[in-house]
Amino acid sequence: MTAPRSVGTLHYLRKGMAAMPKDGGGLKRPSTVRSADPPGRLEAVHFINEALKGPAAAIFRGLVPAFVTIGRDRFYDTVMDSTQLLSGCLQIFQSQRSRFSALLVDEQGRQVNDDRVRLRCGRSVEDIVAMIVRTHAKRHFRSALGGDPNDPASHAGQLYLAIRDYLLHDWQVPLVPHYAPLPVETVLRLGPGLLDLRDAEAVRTLTPSAPVPVAAVPVPVPEIVSPPPVPKPAPAPSLRMGVEGAGPGRPSSPQEEFWWDALTDRSVSQIIGTRSPNEMRELVAALAGVNDSVRSELFAGLSLTTFQAAICLATAYRVLGRNSFANLFGLPGRPVVIATIAKRLRERGAGSRSDLKTLARLTEGAVRV
């Protein structure tokens, strides 16, 4: 494959960004972080791959002039093979999200602004990002370790099988070259703890004798102007009441449907308790309107699951009350305070491995201080 003109391209990406049994033994599948792929997986994967190769690629090529040097038929493979290009594209997607709005719709064609809500393809942005990270990891492991990552008998396959369920987030793409030297037994021992290692240095401490991967070495490049920012989408509308007024009507946005489903799950409702129809309507509307700091500091920062996020926000809403919650967690919100709450939770050990009852208690303490 012919390499792209990486110097100008990589610099443009950096300027455009806003802002984890023994080897060869009886390898066992680690306990999963997410549930098994739902029905229709192959169809969804095909749909997503075609979108990434077609419409999404066209948008990136329009946003980044340096991408014009990469042939259209080679764009997908070139980006997927490059840790730096892929990381840059994912960060540009986050900072220029409205440019991709035509792709971010649900089955009814409604705009989706929450990464956990299913799109028309049947998968959420969160799911698609995980698929992309795993695809890149496979390609890198094949190149760095040799062998087929789809073959459990190969070293690349053993490592991929051990780490697959913990390849979930866009921030992990720059860490993929650092994951490759990890012993399989180390990954199996860490399990979900791999998600606590958020930078290359933390991962490298697990393999002190391993050299710094070439892909992680910065490339000095000249300055290029970044693309102009775009306005953020408007907050989601609130829930409508049913005709009889006896309970909440069908949520009026994908975000509200998402939080409604999470809050009414039995495991969550047992912790937060029952609410009147009006109280439920207000809570769902409040959660659907949280700001970006909540998503980045709490959801992504603590690697919370859907139900954990629901418990965290519902508890904060109960402790703070509607007005204070809206002031801190709504738009525009108080990012500094949100960061402080996230830090307190992290210091108290809150994260993806916290049970729901413990997380509710930790959240209550973090927002009261």
Side-chain angles (χ1 to χ4, degrees), residues 185-209:
E185 59 184 353
T186 298
V187 176
L188 291 172
R189 185 178 69 252
L190 281 173
L194 190 74
L195 295 169
D196 295 332
L197 308 178
R198 301 295 294 266
D199 57 66
E201 187 58 37
V203 178
R204 281 203 298 269
T205 59
L206 301 176
T207 52
S209 61

Side-chain angles (χ1 to χ4, degrees), residues 20 27-38 41 126-127 129-131 133-135 137-138 141 149 157-169 171-172 179 187-188 190-196 303 305 352-353:
M20 344 215 6
L27 187 65
K28 295 183 179 180
R29 182 81 172 186
S31 58
T32 57
V33 174
R34 292 186 178 179
S35 59
D37 291 322
R41 176 184 177 277
E126 192 176 69
D127 296 329
V129 168
M131 289 172 58
V133 177
R134 291 166 184 169
T135 297
K138 278 187 177 183
F141 292 172
Q158 290 179 359
L159 179 60
Y160 180 72
L161 186 65
I163 203 172
R164 176 190 182 277
D165 290 323
Y166 311 117
L167 296 174
L168 305 171
H169 308 290
W171 55 262
Q172 291 179 281
Y179 290 151
V187 176
L188 291 172
L190 281 173
L194 190 74
L195 295 169
D196 295 332
S303 299
T305 66
S352 60
R353 288 173 285 180

Side-chain angles (χ1 to χ4, degrees), residues 34-326:
R34 292 186 178 179
S35 59
D37 291 322
R41 176 184 177 277
L42 294 180
E43 293 81 354
V45 170
H46 176 75
F47 187 99
I48 292 166
N49 283 339
E50 289 304 306
L52 292 174
K53 294 176 181 179
I59 295 170
F60 279 118
R61 288 167 64 85
L63 283 173
V64 184
F67 277 155
V68 176
T69 64
I70 307 176
R72 184 171 303 177
D73 58 336
R74 293 189 295 108
F75 182 85
Y76 175 84
D77 287 328
T78 299
V79 172
M80 281 295 184
D81 285 340
S82 169
T83 297
Q84 291 173 306
L85 291 181
L86 180 58
S87 180
C89 282
L90 288 172
Q91 293 187 56
I92 283 179
F93 166 74
Q94 294 296 345
S95 64
Q96 305 285 337
R97 191 184 181 101
S98 67
R99 305 294 182 95
F100 299 83
S101 59
L103 303 176
L104 303 178
V105 295
D106 65 7
E107 290 182 343
Q108 285 75 44
R110 299 175 299 184
Q111 194 67 46
V112 173
N113 297 320
D114 194 313
D115 287 355
R116 299 167 185 241
V117 174
R118 284 186 299 178
L119 303 175
R120 178 176 292 163
C121 64
R123 299 294 185 271
S124 65
V125 169
E126 192 176 69
D127 296 329
I128 294 171
V129 168
M131 289 172 58
I132 289 173
V133 177
R134 291 166 184 169
T135 297
H136 176 62
K138 278 187 177 183
R139 292 180 177 225
H140 185 83
F141 292 172
R142 178 183 287 111
S143 174
L145 304 175
D148 183 0
N150 293 312
D151 178 10
S154 70
H155 179 56
Q158 290 179 359
L159 179 60
Y160 180 72
L161 186 65
I163 203 172
R164 176 190 182 277
D165 290 323
Y166 311 117
L167 296 174
L168 305 171
H169 308 290
D170 52 8
W171 55 262
Q172 291 179 281
V173 171
L175 300 182
V176 167
H178 302 278
Y179 290 151
L182 292 177
V184 175
E185 59 184 353
T186 298
V187 176
L188 291 172
R189 185 178 69 252
L190 281 173
L194 190 74
L195 295 169
D196 295 332
L197 308 178
R198 301 295 294 266
D199 57 66
E201 187 58 37
V203 178
R204 281 203 298 269
T205 59
L206 301 176
T207 52
S209 61
V212 177
V214 175
V217 178
V219 181
V221 287
E223 183 174 356
I224 299 178
V225 180
S226 62
V230 293
K232 294 183 179 180
S238 60
L239 266 176
R240 296 192 298 266
M241 289 295 289
V243 176
E244 298 295 327
R250 182 177 178 82
S252 59
S253 75
Q255 288 77 18
E256 289 169 347
E257 288 183 352
F258 169 79
W259 287 115
W260 172 265
D261 290 342
L263 291 167
T264 55
D265 182 86
R266 184 176 180 181
S267 65
V268 174
S269 61
Q270 286 178 338
I271 304 298
I272 66 175
T274 57
R275 283 174 165 74
S276 70
N278 283 340
E279 290 173 335
M280 190 65 171
R281 177 187 62 184
E282 292 175 355
L283 177 59
V284 170
L287 269 57
V290 295
N291 59 59
D292 288 343
S293 293
V294 175
R295 296 187 177 93
S296 61
E297 296 288 345
L298 290 177
F299 299 169
L302 298 176
S303 299
L304 299 181
T305 66
T306 297
F307 296 153
Q308 287 177 325
I311 288 290
C312 184
L313 294 186
T315 301
Y317 184 90
R318 173 178 60 79
V319 173
L320 296 172
R322 180 175 61 181
N323 293 336
S324 294
F325 182 90

